[in-house]
Amino acid sequence: MVFSSALCIFSLLALVQAQSESQQPKIQLRLAGDKVKHYEGRLEVFYNNEWGTICDDDFSIEAAHVACRELGFLGAVAWSPSAKFGQGEGRIWLDNVHCTGGEKSLAECPSNGFGVSDCRHSEDVGVVCNQKRIPGHRFTNTMNNNTIEERVEEIRIRPISSHLKRLPISEGFVEIKERGKWRQICDEHWTPLNSRVVCGMYGFPGEKKYSNKVSLSMRKNKNYWGFSVNCTGNEAHMSSCRLGKALVSKRNGTCGRGLPVVVSCVPGRAFAPSSSTGFRKAYRPEQPLVRLRGGANIGEGRVEVLKNGVWGTVCDDNWNLRAATVVCRELGFGSAKETLTGAKLGQGMGPVHMNEVDCSGFEKSLTDCYFNNDALGCSHEEDAAVRCNIPAMGFQKRIRLSGGRNPYEGRVEVLTEKNGSLVWGTVCSENWGMMEAMVVCRQLGLGFASNAFQETWYWAGDASADNVVMSGVRCSGTEMSLPHCLHHGKHISCPRGGGRFAAGVSCSDMAPDLVLNAQLVEQTTYLEDRPMYALQCALEENCLSSTAKKNDHSTYRRLLRFSSQIHNVGQSDFRPKLGHHAWTWHECHRHYHSIEVFTHYDLLSLNGTKVAEGHKASFCLEDTQCDEGIQKRYVCANFGEQGITVGCWDTYRHDIDCQWIDITDVKPGDYILQVVF
């Protein structure tokens, strides 16, 4: 009898739970507002055919976890009160939301009820989700209070035929992997805006109409995904588009017109195949108005704009994915996958040209967007940056680092074709330097090069890859992969051989970035005739031209003097590579040189011929001054540590020895002064 009663109670509870779930309101969530990343923003709810916001009263990290998981992310990192991502519009749907964190939807959490709130939009809540998504992609749509949700594992562009598999894959069927099976999409409700989004997420700036007819065999396909997709054209990923109408299959299983979606994307200039090189060796846009600087990898960097012949930066006020996508597409990349604020990719120099940029997302150039010319209050600590989607070129699969202590260092090994098969081998280290190392680190997606090694005996590497397969490598530093650099062809020439003398690198995701204040050089330049008896120490350090004689005290040398101010606008401190024990003592000046030649000064004729030169050793590399709020870390006094902190600069005054070019033998005329670190 007792057992029977318990069974009745359990059945009643199950019935109540089932009724509760069926009566639970269906909602849809989105992240909106002044956001800079796709995984953060003002939290908005779609209910009763209307978008609205959520009040921050009693909101918690548990509620943020529920919301982020409902949006397809693994969870929440933080939540923000007081309309941090801007004030929303319309109804405030939820207030006093209380979640335990285990709910599947925000609609399950107790609250005042939909539309019951005493809040204003100044209290709109925002969330920052874990940028890692729940495996797969989630499509949603809410119509008539019914939420439709579809989860898929992957999205791809599959070439129409096997002979079109040349990278990058810019044309093919759009396919969705659902429950382990690849399915095509019916083109009945497909639009060019959908194609624009797909091309953008795969790194292509534009799309074009697919002109060739799909073969008859493809028309008979019966393996279609069950939905269409509605994109606005501004989404960074197709999964951000709204789920469209359900597919109404014909009796034969095909879609309305029986055609699968085919997209044809337009590669950017850097990735377009060319008959001579296979791919462009480096991206150099013609007469660019916008450029990226300070990024470790292709398609990322601080945004800089050319105005009146002067490069300047963009303030991060209102900087968002729409504006960033305009930059990415303008430069030949796909849509923006992330925007960065607060000078995350280094501070620029010069003016701040643009502020409060407002783009629709369809402009041809960032300069076509609305913006505020007045950047008053913006400093370079607010420089905007971007990371763009780039095409999958397969470069990373043809190079590796072997034998290092961590994935960021090791002997360079490349995959090449030999006697009809692919083999791994080493790179000759003769003339191997930082330019070549930069290309290797970029090709591997490991950031900047911190060292280039001509001996790698301490990195064993793969014994089967000891043979040298590439020699004579010379890079400009802008190439996308090592084979794009100049190198010997089939005839390898490497006198020292491979093994312990193979090329190696170490990479870093952060690096210093030294920038000269060119305006100060112009403002402080002057000529001085100085007697030789006052230049004996400079002569010892080879700071005079070859015609200067040691014991000729009666003559004068004509010097072009100037001050130099060197800013570190990068992401890590600039330090001498040599430790104290290896610094060079100079008796005449009675100081140590931490870097024997830190700066080259060249005087060039207008046709580029060098007519005079000078150099400066770093006898005292220190933080002369720093931006507001940054502490000096390096001081030369008392044999202290030398370097330049991020956000600081080192100034060499015009009246210091060797801060000049000896132009005694140069004829009067017009010349170019070039300063190289």
Side-chain angles (χ1 to χ4, degrees):
M1 190 68 180
V2 175
F3 173 79
S4 182
S5 299
L7 182 61
C8 291
I9 293 171
F10 174 78
S11 300
L12 183 61
L13 287 172
L15 178 62
V16 171
Q17 184 180 1
Q19 288 177 342
S20 176
E21 289 180 358
S22 65
Q23 293 170 2
Q24 180 184 305
K26 299 294 184 181
I27 64 171
Q28 182 180 345
L29 301 181
R30 71 179 181 187
L31 298 177
D34 303 331
K35 58 179 184 172
V36 297
K37 300 179 179 69
H38 67 279
Y39 50 85
E40 68 178 18
R42 183 176 61 247
L43 189 57
E44 295 192 349
V45 182
F46 190 75
Y47 174 75
N48 200 23
N49 293 322
E50 184 180 350
W51 283 102
T53 62
I54 299 175
C55 182
D56 59 15
D57 290 352
D58 293 341
F59 203 82
S60 64
I61 190 64
E62 287 77 19
H65 280 308
V66 174
C68 288
R69 284 198 300 269
E70 191 170 359
L71 286 163
F73 299 96
L74 288 178
V77 174
W79 67 278
S80 303
S82 306
K84 177 185 176 181
F85 297 99
Q87 297 186 25
E89 297 177 347
R91 302 285 294 273
I92 298 176
W93 277 127
L94 292 172
D95 188 9
N96 297 113
V97 178
H98 295 91
C99 300
T100 64
E103 296 84 354
K104 293 181 180 179
S105 170
L106 214 58
E108 296 179 19
C109 301
S111 68
N112 291 352
F114 281 89
V116 182
S117 174
D118 59 356
C119 296
R120 297 182 178 182
H121 282 298
S122 59
E123 300 171 81
D124 287 343
V125 77
V127 296
V128 179
C129 299
N130 186 322
Q131 54 185 303
K132 292 184 178 180
R133 285 188 171 272
I134 296 171
H137 305 286
R138 176 176 175 267
F139 293 89
T140 61
N141 197 355
T142 302
M143 294 179 290
N144 300 323
N145 272 357
N146 292 318
T147 299
I148 305 171
E149 178 177 312
E150 280 289 309
R151 287 191 179 275
V152 300
E153 289 98 63
E154 291 181 61
I155 303 170
R156 72 179 182 185
I157 299 177
R158 181 174 65 84
I160 294 172
S161 59
S162 58
H163 72 277
L164 294 176
K165 286 188 177 180
R166 184 174 63 177
L167 296 175
I169 298 173
S170 59
E171 188 173 82
F173 298 108
V174 180
E175 296 187 337
I176 285 180
K177 191 176 185 180
E178 184 184 38
R179 290 186 286 275
K181 190 173 183 179
W182 286 104
R183 303 179 187 277
Q184 294 176 344
I185 301 176
C186 178
D187 71 349
E188 189 169 11
H189 301 290
W190 192 262
T191 68
L193 293 178
N194 294 359
S195 297
R196 172 184 169 87
V197 172
V198 171
C199 291
M201 66 187 262
Y202 280 103
F204 302 107
E207 75 290 337
K208 61 183 179 181
K209 187 175 181 180
Y210 178 67
S211 56
N212 296 333
K213 298 292 184 182
V214 179
S215 67
L216 185 61
S217 62
M218 296 300 178
R219 290 172 182 265
K220 296 179 180 179
N221 173 57
K222 298 181 182 180
N223 188 26
Y224 285 102
W225 189 45
F227 296 89
S228 60
V229 177
N230 294 328
C231 301
T232 65
N234 270 329
E235 294 86 354
H237 195 279
M238 196 172 105
S239 63
S240 300
C241 302
R242 295 182 69 180
L243 195 66
K245 296 180 179 179
L247 176 66
V248 179
S249 299
K250 287 185 174 182
R251 289 183 180 178
N252 61 3
T254 62
C255 71
R257 288 183 289 168
L259 293 175
V261 167
V262 176
V263 295
S264 184
C265 305
V266 180
R269 183 173 179 269
F271 306 97
S274 70
S275 57
S276 58
T277 62
F279 294 96
R280 306 281 181 175
K281 290 187 176 180
Y283 179 66
R284 292 190 177 128
E286 298 173 4
Q287 298 180 338
L289 295 176
V290 178
R291 69 184 184 185
L292 300 181
R293 286 291 182 271
N297 298 302
I298 300 168
E300 69 176 33
R302 179 179 61 252
V303 181
E304 297 189 351
V305 182
L306 185 65
K307 180 181 178 182
N308 298 328
V310 178
W311 286 101
T313 61
V314 177
C315 187
D316 62 13
D317 291 352
N318 300 340
W319 184 245
N320 58 30
L321 285 168
R322 286 196 306 275
T325 290
V326 172
V327 170
C328 291
R329 291 184 186 272
E330 179 180 0
L331 293 174
F333 306 114
S335 52
K337 61 182 178 182
E338 185 179 0
T339 60
L340 300 102
T341 58
K344 290 290 194 308
L345 295 185
Q347 297 183 28
M349 293 191 67
V352 179
H353 282 324
M354 302 176 77
N355 185 25
E356 298 175 347
V357 179
D358 184 14
C359 303
S360 69
F362 292 89
E363 292 85 354
K364 296 293 184 184
S365 172
L366 188 68
T367 56
D368 296 333
C369 300
Y370 293 102
F371 62 92
N372 187 350
N373 276 305
D374 184 6
L376 189 65
C378 281
S379 68
H380 286 300
E381 295 176 355
E382 301 171 83
D383 285 343
V386 64
R387 288 193 174 104
C388 307
N389 286 313
I390 63 171
M393 304 296 292
F395 294 146
Q396 292 184 7
K397 298 178 181 179
R398 305 185 69 88
I399 192 169
R400 67 189 184 190
L401 300 183
S402 183
R405 296 163 296 178
N406 57 64
Y408 283 79
E409 67 177 22
R411 186 176 76 175
V412 179
E413 296 177 358
V414 295
L415 188 64
T416 59
E417 187 174 341
K418 188 175 182 180
N419 300 326
S421 60
L422 293 174
V423 297
W424 287 98
T426 57
V427 179
C428 184
S429 65
E430 188 175 16
N431 298 320
W432 183 260
M434 286 297 289
M435 290 299 181
E436 291 72 33
M438 284 170 60
V439 175
V440 169
C441 294
R442 181 184 299 116
Q443 183 177 348
L444 287 164
L446 297 178
F448 304 97
S450 54
N451 284 289
F453 300 98
Q454 294 188 354
E455 292 188 19
T456 52
W457 55 269
Y458 38 82
W459 290 330
D462 188 336
S464 65
D466 277 347
N467 291 334
V468 176
V469 296
M470 181 179 285
S471 63
V473 181
R474 292 181 60 190
C475 303
S476 67
T478 61
E479 295 86 353
M480 289 192 290
S481 73
L482 207 59
H484 290 160
C485 302
L486 294 173
H487 62 278
H488 297 153
K490 295 181 180 180
H491 303 289
I492 304 299
S493 174
C494 190
R496 297 199 301 174
R500 61 173 289 184
F501 296 111
V505 300
S506 63
C507 307
S508 171
D509 54 3
M510 294 190 297
D513 186 9
L514 301 185
V515 177
L516 177 75
N517 185 342
Q519 187 176 10
L520 182 66
V521 174
E522 293 179 358
Q523 293 172 347
T524 58
T525 302
Y526 65 98
L527 294 177
E528 180 193 13
D529 291 332
R530 194 167 180 83
M532 270 299 300
Y533 68 80
L535 294 171
Q536 293 304 302
C537 286
L539 187 64
E540 177 196 294
E541 295 186 13
N542 298 316
C543 294
L544 300 176
S545 68
S546 58
T547 59
K549 304 302 181 184
K550 183 175 182 179
N551 298 318
D552 189 2
H553 299 298
S554 60
T555 60
Y556 285 75
R557 307 300 296 182
R558 174 155 290 186
L559 308 176
L560 179 66
R561 308 197 71 144
F562 47 86
S563 297
S564 66
Q565 191 181 86
I566 300 161
H567 293 242
N568 184 359
V569 299
Q571 301 172 66
S572 65
D573 294 354
F574 177 79
R575 297 292 310 280
K577 292 190 181 298
L578 300 178
H580 284 84
H581 65 282
W583 291 1
T584 305
W585 174 257
H586 283 260
E587 181 64 29
C588 190
H589 279 131
R590 299 196 62 77
H591 59 223
Y592 285 94
H593 286 181
S594 57
I595 302 176
E596 197 60 34
V597 178
F598 176 51
T599 314
H600 292 275
Y601 305 129
D602 299 326
L603 196 67
L604 311 176
S605 66
L606 298 184
N607 65 8
T609 303
K610 186 188 296 185
V611 297
E613 63 182 353
H615 71 269
K616 183 68 183 150
S618 67
F619 66 88
C620 178
L621 196 64
E622 66 178 359
D623 297 326
T624 307
Q625 285 182 279
C626 298
D627 290 327
E628 186 177 353
I630 297 177
Q631 296 294 321
K632 296 180 182 180
R633 297 182 60 186
Y634 303 106
V635 180
C636 294
N638 301 319
F639 202 45
E641 293 291 336
Q642 294 194 20
I644 307 177
T645 304
V646 175
C648 300
W649 56 91
D650 186 18
T651 301
Y652 285 99
R653 289 172 48 86
H654 56 82
D655 53 0
I656 296 174
D657 261 8
C658 295
Q659 189 62 36
W660 63 57
I661 298 179
D662 183 355
I663 61 168
T664 306
D665 307 314
V666 177
K667 297 178 180 179
D670 294 328
Y671 297 94
I672 299 168
L673 174 59
Q674 175 178 277
V675 180
V676 181
F677 303 129

